[in-house]
Amino acid sequence: MQQFIDAAPGIRLWTEQRGARDAAPLLLIMGARASGVAWPEPLVDALAAHHRVIRYDHRDTGRSTWPFEERPYRIPDLADDAIAVLDHLGIDRAHVVGMSLGGMLAQLLLADHPDRLLSATLISTSALSSTPYTRPDGSTVPVAELPGIAPEVLELWARPAGEHGPAAEAARQVEHWRVLAGDRLPFDTGFFRALEQRVIEHTGHHRTSTAHGRANHDGMLRTDRLARNAVPALVICAPADPVFPPPHPQHLAQCVRGASLVEIPGMGHALPPAVLDPLATAILRHTGAATG
């Protein structure tokens, strides 16, 4: 079922629900510049076999309001949008699964709204914490010295998008996914081409927004609150992630009190077919234990 909700004055968000209405709710939060339909259909279906799955378009993506050019907002406002989705749908508490920026938003929910979460799964993201990383040998690494984004990703992000038409834009996005996916699994060009075509059809145009990269990121650290976390949390380690490579996931698991860590072999900063089954298994094992 699809519907629009009013998240804030002048902000409407597209939402979709799938699965049994009486199942435990699970909210999917995608990454920066990504529509909710960027969650692969097989993964959504696998989760919806056990949960009432909700996904939605962030502001400036998909069918939701694109307001940034006239009314800039802060990244934490996107976390407020997630709460607004739950409120509008009458959901008191939900499992939350966030990827990349969505994983950061999920951390904000862990810190600021723990009473609204049944569990959190954090995928391909980094800690909103200033706590140093502790290596297995006991030595520590300041957060500023953790590995940065791979040069090939930065080079791709630095290229101007331009105006090339829908087909060329889809091809550009497929190349983007190729770089993000890492080099440990064969790249499925057809899968990501179909994904991008679905996003363009869903959105109604092929333009992409840079709003999330330009939005104010200040005030996002939640060091102390994450260290006191009491919500069941799972960190997904993507060993081939060129954006937040190891030991970012290990560091995140250290920063979020009580978090467990599961590695998905070969996974990068993308969701290709090869990782969907093990990822769904890890998420469902986690949510099943948390639901009890």
Side-chain angles (χ1 to χ4, degrees), residues 9-10 15 47 68 109 113 118 141 172 175 181 190 233 261 265 267 269 275 281 283 287:
T15 71
L47 299 177
F68 188 81
L109 299 184
H113 302 280
L118 293 168
V141 180
R172 189 178 76 88
E175 178 59 23
L261 184 72
M267 183 173 170
H269 202 82
V275 309
T281 297
I283 293 171
T287 59

Side-chain angles (χ1 to χ4, degrees), residues 169-257:
E169 176 59 22
R172 189 178 76 88
Q173 292 296 343
V174 169
E175 178 59 23
H176 185 211
W177 286 121
R178 185 188 304 276
V179 173
L180 291 181
D183 58 4
R184 300 195 190 179
L185 295 173
F187 184 74
D188 190 331
T189 301
F191 174 85
F192 284 100
R193 183 183 296 116
L195 173 67
E196 286 305 318
Q197 290 172 344
R198 187 166 66 249
V199 169
I200 290 172
E201 291 171 2
H202 166 77
T203 304
H205 59 78
H206 64 278
R207 299 186 304 276
T208 57
S209 171
T210 60
H212 297 165
R214 292 182 287 139
N216 190 325
H217 288 65
D218 292 344
M220 290 181 61
L221 284 182
R222 295 292 189 275
T223 304
D224 293 340
R225 292 184 188 180
L226 293 176
R228 298 194 302 268
N229 172 64
V231 175
L234 171 66
V235 176
I236 298 296
C237 175
D241 190 338
V243 179
F244 299 118
H248 279 278
Q250 290 80 4
H251 175 237
L252 177 57
Q254 291 176 1
C255 293
V256 179
R257 180 176 176 267

Side-chain angles (χ1 to χ4, degrees), residues 2-5 7 11-16 28 30 34-39 54-66 78 81 85 199 202-203 212:
Q2 301 180 28
Q3 66 186 102
F4 287 89
I5 68 122
I11 304 295
R12 300 194 77 202
L13 303 179
W14 173 88
T15 71
E16 180 200 66
L28 296 172
M30 239 306 155
S35 160
V37 299
W39 289 103
I54 304 102
R55 58 179 174 174
Y56 68 100
D57 291 341
H58 292 297
R59 305 180 190 194
D60 286 288
T61 73
R63 297 180 184 173
S64 292
T65 305
W66 290 47
L78 300 180
D81 287 348
V85 170
V199 169
H202 166 77
T203 304
H212 297 165

Side-chain angles (χ1 to χ4, degrees), residues 18-32:
R18 195 177 302 183
R21 293 279 296 181
D22 59 352
L26 187 152
L27 180 67
L28 296 172
I29 308 179
M30 239 306 155

Side-chain angles (χ1 to χ4, degrees), residues 81-132:
D81 287 348
I83 293 296
V85 170
L86 297 181
D87 287 344
H88 186 89
L89 299 179
I91 297 172
D92 292 330
R93 301 179 71 199
H95 301 283
V96 173
V97 177
M99 179 166 182
S100 193
L101 174 65
M104 296 179 189
L105 299 180
Q107 290 177 67
L108 292 178
L109 299 184
L110 277 175
D112 301 342
H113 302 280
D115 57 314
R116 304 301 301 273
L117 271 60
L118 293 168
S119 75
T121 300
L122 312 173
I123 306 170
S124 295
T125 192
S126 64
L128 301 182
S129 174
S130 60
T131 302

Side-chain angles (χ1 to χ4, degrees), residues 129-147 247-248 251 254-255:
S129 174
S130 60
T131 302
Y133 167 59
T134 301
R135 296 189 183 100
D137 65 6
S139 61
T140 59
V141 180
V143 173
E145 296 179 14
L146 291 175
H248 279 278
H251 175 237
Q254 291 176 1
C255 293

